[in-house]
Amino acid sequence: CFLSEGAFKKVYKVWNSATEAEEAISVMDIDLIESTGNKNVVGAELAVSAMLSSLVRRNICPNFVLTRRVFTCPYEPPPSHWGCEENKKPKGAKYAANKSNQRKPREPKKKDQGRYQYMRMELCSEGDAEEYLKRQKNESISCVQAQHILFQVAFALHVAADRFCMKHYD
């Protein structure tokens, strides 16, 4: 199902039948990124994501999203199956392996091919911090919860600076 959309990517929640678990997949339109002159910026962000993901894999800091694999495909995910902003769950909220009435999407025509980069990632069960806060009563949390979240953010920033000399300017 469709989760969110940014300037250059869309993010979906998917079922990985090999691991029997939900994952997130981000899909970037490489041709769109190149046409806007942002190829180097997006490339740098991908490199940083891979570096920060290594901190999770090596049990140094769990406060980053784990990237599992990156691959390319000539086709964009079909909204009829993966969803979109207007219809987030076109095939329902849960994966059902035994649905015999589900048709596979048609393969797009050659003229509709593009270059899409798919990134398999850990699915964060609570979403991002903004989504989490919006779901809370009165969109607020207790002081103790705020301290826990602030510690996680501060620790992640510390580890990124310590291990990779990174700084976050937002």
Side-chain angles (χ1 to χ4, degrees):
C1 74
F2 180 85
L3 294 177
S4 65
E5 184 170 3
F8 299 111
K9 69 180 173 183
K10 296 176 184 174
V11 182
Y12 304 89
K13 178 172 71 171
V14 298
W15 177 258
N16 183 332
S17 57
T19 62
E20 296 190 2
E22 291 178 327
E23 292 183 335
I25 290 191
S26 73
V27 181
M28 289 193 262
D29 184 337
I30 297 169
D31 293 327
L32 174 64
I33 292 166
E34 284 183 351
S35 72
T36 59
N38 288 298
K39 184 177 177 183
N40 291 338
V41 173
V42 174
E45 285 189 21
L46 290 172
V48 168
S49 293
M51 291 168 66
L52 297 176
S53 180
S54 74
L55 297 171
V56 178
R57 272 192 301 285
R58 294 182 290 151
N59 293 319
I60 295 170
C61 182
N63 302 326
F64 296 106
V65 174
L66 179 64
T67 301
R68 296 199 167 109
R69 186 169 178 226
V70 178
F71 59 96
T72 59
C73 179
Y75 306 115
E76 185 174 23
S80 61
H81 285 67
W82 288 52
C84 60
E85 186 66 47
E86 297 78 32
N87 184 8
K88 293 184 185 281
K89 302 173 185 174
K91 297 293 183 182
K94 295 282 184 190
Y95 172 75
N98 58 357
K99 281 191 178 175
S100 58
N101 61 346
Q102 286 191 357
R103 286 191 332 227
K104 289 185 177 183
R106 285 185 225 155
E107 187 171 310
K109 296 176 180 156
K110 288 277 189 201
K111 69 177 183 70
D112 295 327
Q113 286 186 5
R115 293 184 301 159
Y116 297 91
Q117 179 171 286
Y118 289 66
M119 182 184 298
R120 289 182 44 226
M121 303 173 290
E122 162 188 26
L123 179 67
C124 300
S125 61
E126 296 291 344
D128 64 27
E130 182 180 1
E131 290 173 8
Y132 175 75
L133 291 171
K134 284 181 179 177
R135 287 194 309 272
Q136 304 311 302
K137 185 178 179 181
N138 299 323
E139 294 186 5
S140 66
I141 56 176
S142 72
C143 289
V144 172
Q145 287 174 304
Q147 287 173 334
H148 287 289
I149 292 171
L150 185 57
F151 174 80
Q152 290 177 30
V153 171
F155 182 65
L157 290 170
H158 165 74
V159 171
D162 180 62
R163 298 296 170 131
F164 300 122
C165 297
M166 289 183 186
K167 293 181 175 44
H168 196 294
Y169 292 105
D170 285 351

